[in-house]
Amino acid sequence: FWFFATQVDRYLSPVVVIGALLSVFAVYAVLRSCVMRSRLPGWLTRAFSPVAAAIACVLALQLLTAETANSREQMRHWNEIMASKPAHDLFAKANTLIPEYGPKLLQIGFEAGAYYFEGTVIGDWFGPGRYWDLMHCTEACGTMLDSAEMVQHMQRHGARMLLFGHHMDKGFDPDRYSDHFQVVMQTSQGILMVLKSDHLMQGLARE
């Protein structure tokens, strides 16, 4: 179901191991059933299971060797690989702001990059902080809320940092948020903003 419903790695990774084992077992069960129903000599039928196991071990060893070599190559270029990930630099900047603005980040458009943040990321298509609440949406999400409404959402979630992807609202002008937010970092992919000090103190007072 997950394979056909989504190709998102973070949804598939929890089930990929058991899925692979079940796939191999299904192939094994079908082949074994065919062999048992065939008119092959008895010794050949009895040899099916150990031969199949041996072939599977050889294939697994070859795959492991290839993946190990690939992993070593990736580790040599790890920084370059991570730098190429969408919004990784923005999340990295947000990490440096945790001591001042806390470990919660409200994001819009970069849900797959949540693992880059060293705190709690709020914002996704579903669940708490869903995009339908954070943007003007009808059949699809198109434009950002005004800054005052966004402040209310952030205070509701206890977040003081906001990360927004340009692809979610291509016409968004950060000056619209200048009354309540300060732009910390802006790239071709998105904008990282923080609540200004007055809102920061209001949030601390509520806590």
Side-chain angles (χ1 to χ4, degrees):
F1 169 79
W2 282 112
F3 180 82
F4 292 104
T6 178
Q7 295 294 320
V8 181
D9 292 342
R10 64 196 177 102
Y11 295 157
L12 295 175
S13 57
V15 298
V16 67
V17 175
I18 188 66
L21 292 174
L22 289 174
S23 298
V24 171
F25 180 78
V27 173
Y28 167 79
V30 171
L31 292 177
R32 187 174 186 277
S33 177
C34 293
V35 170
M36 292 303 175
R37 294 178 181 179
S38 66
R39 297 181 179 180
L40 296 173
W43 66 270
L44 191 57
T45 301
R46 290 189 297 272
F48 173 77
S49 292
V51 169
I55 293 174
C57 288
V58 170
L59 293 176
L61 183 59
Q62 289 180 338
L63 180 60
L64 178 61
T65 301
E67 287 299 318
T68 300
N70 183 54
S71 296
R72 288 176 177 172
E73 182 64 22
Q74 287 184 337
M75 289 303 294
R76 293 194 196 95
H77 304 283
W78 188 249
N79 290 335
E80 294 89 338
I81 292 174
M82 295 307 296
S84 68
K85 301 294 184 180
H88 179 267
D89 49 354
L90 293 166
F91 280 105
K93 179 62 178 179
N95 286 331
T96 67
L97 300 176
I98 289 177
E100 182 177 359
Y101 292 94
K104 290 187 177 181
L105 171 69
L106 185 66
Q107 72 79 33
I108 303 174
F110 296 117
E111 65 278 356
Y115 306 102
Y116 306 143
F117 187 62
E118 297 171 2
T120 301
V121 175
I122 303 158
D124 206 328
W125 289 104
F126 308 100
R130 55 187 176 272
Y131 299 155
W132 286 78
D133 291 337
L134 303 176
M135 301 183 68
H136 294 294
C137 303
T138 50
E139 295 182 358
C141 292
T143 58
M144 291 279 282
L145 301 176
D146 62 50
S147 60
E149 290 179 287
M150 187 59 70
V151 169
Q152 293 177 2
H153 282 288
M154 293 187 68
Q155 291 177 341
R156 185 177 302 122
H157 293 290
R160 297 161 192 157
M161 292 186 284
L162 173 64
L163 177 57
F164 170 73
H166 290 308
H167 61 283
M168 299 296 289
D169 180 0
K170 295 182 179 179
F172 176 72
D173 182 358
D175 288 341
R176 287 175 46 201
Y177 274 36
S178 60
D179 51 346
H180 299 298
F181 290 86
Q182 175 184 348
V183 175
V184 176
M185 184 177 182
Q186 183 169 356
T187 69
S188 60
Q189 296 179 330
I191 307 172
L192 175 63
M193 295 177 279
V194 296
L195 284 174
K196 288 187 174 180
S197 57
D198 53 340
H199 297 290
L200 179 61
M201 295 308 296
Q202 290 175 15
L204 290 172
R206 286 187 176 87
E207 294 178 0

